[in-house]
Amino acid sequence: MKLFRAASLAALLLSTALAPALAAEPIIGVSVPNLGSSFWISVLYGVDSAAKADKAKLVTLSAGGDANSSQQISQIQDLIQRKVDAIIVGATNGDAVKAIVERAVAAGIPVVGISSPPNTDKLAAMVSADHYDMGKLQAECLAKAMGGKGEVAMMAGPSGQAWSDLRAQGFRDTLAKVAPNVKIVAESRLADNRNAALTTADDWIQRFPDLSGVYSATDDMAAGVVSALKSAGKGSVKVSASNLSPTAQQMLKDGDLACTSIQQIVAQGKAALTQAVAAATKGKVEAKVVTPAVLVTPNNVGSIDLSLVVAPADYRP
């Protein structure tokens, strides 16, 4: 009887000691290229929202720009040293961060890629939009707005990021099929930066006086293009974009954009956090989560449900 009581007491003490560890909220590291971008702000809003629901703690780090791969590598190294339970990574450059991400995985920290994934097959999960289809939708819309003919230039987005490559490929492939009389006269692989897009668009306006359309990989870049066109008195040039920040919503309402192909950005953030928590707690993980693309035009922008698309205007990570 005494032996039974001793064993029971030992079991009770052990379960009490383990309870705080089992109940502890998982710590999820989040590493993104740039929190100055409306896209990544909306991603973080989704991550934040899901973290509150899933009772997870976040350590959020921004590399400060698409070109700052060395900064992101250092930050992921810091997350490894802090022994977070999982890491969500939107890569500055998929190839550049591959080694440090694989080091995290080797250290027992699962990694979830989002939108612009690290270029490795060791990810626990990958969350993204159908970026190829986003480019396809832009091509169909812009070709129609241009009357199926003319010259178009491409603000194709940063090189080394899967999302920009896929959108650009979807645009090129589709344009060749639906509008063979539309000619691509220039392509720029800039970072997702409004000022850089404005400067490049100024140059294009001088070099291509017959330009009648501009594809923009993101709405931030499109805002720079629209500013340049307005300043040059070229408001008749049709512009398409992707994503749906408050700025893009206003440009659509003002008639400055022919359309924007959008992804459910907030939904991606939520899904990434859910998969990261599942991986950290040895739960069921979905290896691939893809959210569908949607086309928004001046005619339907007022009726689109934005709750899974973009962060509220007053949200700050």
Side-chain angles (χ1 to χ4, degrees):
M1 187 68 172
K2 288 182 179 180
L3 180 60
F4 173 77
R5 286 179 177 173
S8 298
L9 180 60
L12 177 62
L13 290 173
L14 179 61
S15 65
T16 302
L18 288 177
L22 293 174
E25 297 178 341
I27 299 174
I28 310 299
V30 185
S31 174
V32 299
N34 185 11
L35 283 181
S37 160
S38 60
F39 173 83
W40 291 111
I41 290 173
S42 292
V43 166
L44 259 295
Y45 176 71
V47 172
D48 277 344
S49 300
K52 292 172 183 175
D54 289 350
K55 297 183 179 179
K57 294 180 180 179
L58 301 178
V59 179
T60 303
L61 300 171
S62 169
D66 293 310
N68 296 342
S69 296
S70 59
Q71 175 73 358
Q72 185 170 45
I73 291 168
S74 176
Q75 290 175 342
I76 295 173
Q77 176 63 48
D78 180 62
L79 292 173
I80 295 171
Q81 292 175 346
R82 294 176 69 160
K83 297 181 179 179
V84 297
D85 296 301
I87 304 173
I88 298 169
V89 177
T92 51
N93 182 296
D95 291 326
V97 303
K98 175 183 178 180
I100 190 65
V101 164
E102 291 185 347
R103 192 183 308 170
V105 174
I109 302 173
V111 177
V112 173
I114 182 167
S115 187
S116 53
N119 189 18
T120 174
D121 59 3
K122 299 186 183 301
L123 298 176
M126 172 58 201
V127 179
S128 71
D130 189 336
H131 293 292
Y132 184 93
D133 199 45
M134 291 176 73
K136 173 180 177 290
L137 290 175
Q138 277 204 59
E140 293 170 345
C141 162
L142 199 56
K144 182 178 179 180
M146 294 170 60
K149 60 183 178 180
E151 296 180 349
V152 66
M154 294 179 64
M155 291 280 182
S159 59
Q161 294 199 8
W163 64 267
S164 59
D165 294 340
L166 287 169
R167 287 182 201 176
Q169 192 61 49
F171 181 82
R172 289 191 215 94
D173 291 351
T174 305
L175 195 66
K177 293 177 183 177
V178 303
N181 292 324
V182 173
K183 180 182 179 182
I184 298 173
V185 295
E187 180 174 341
S188 175
R189 298 310 300 260
L190 297 169
D192 186 5
N193 182 289
R194 183 179 306 192
N195 290 332
L198 188 155
T199 300
T200 300
D202 279 337
D203 176 61
W204 286 349
I205 290 167
Q206 299 300 316
R207 291 170 54 200
F208 308 107
D210 295 327
L211 191 67
S212 51
V214 178
Y215 158 94
S216 302
T218 71
D219 47 13
D220 287 340
M221 300 177 81
V225 172
V226 168
S227 293
L229 292 171
K230 284 186 172 182
S231 295
K234 294 275 190 176
S236 62
V237 176
K238 306 302 182 182
V239 181
S240 68
S242 284
N243 303 335
L244 192 61
S245 68
T247 298
Q249 293 172 49
Q250 191 59 52
M251 287 194 293
L252 282 165
K253 292 173 183 177
D254 292 342
D256 294 329
L257 287 181
C259 61
T260 181
S261 61
I262 68 171
Q263 52 184 310
Q264 299 179 60
I265 308 172
V266 173
Q268 288 180 63
K270 289 184 176 183
L273 190 282
T274 298
Q275 299 310 314
V277 170
T281 58
K282 311 301 182 187
K284 183 179 180 180
V285 178
E286 293 182 57
K288 191 172 185 179
V289 179
V290 179
T291 59
V294 178
L295 187 70
V296 183
T297 69
N299 293 329
N300 70 358
V301 63
S303 60
I304 294 291
D305 179 7
L306 300 179
S307 62
L308 295 178
V309 176
V310 65
D314 60 352
Y315 172 74
R316 298 293 180 270

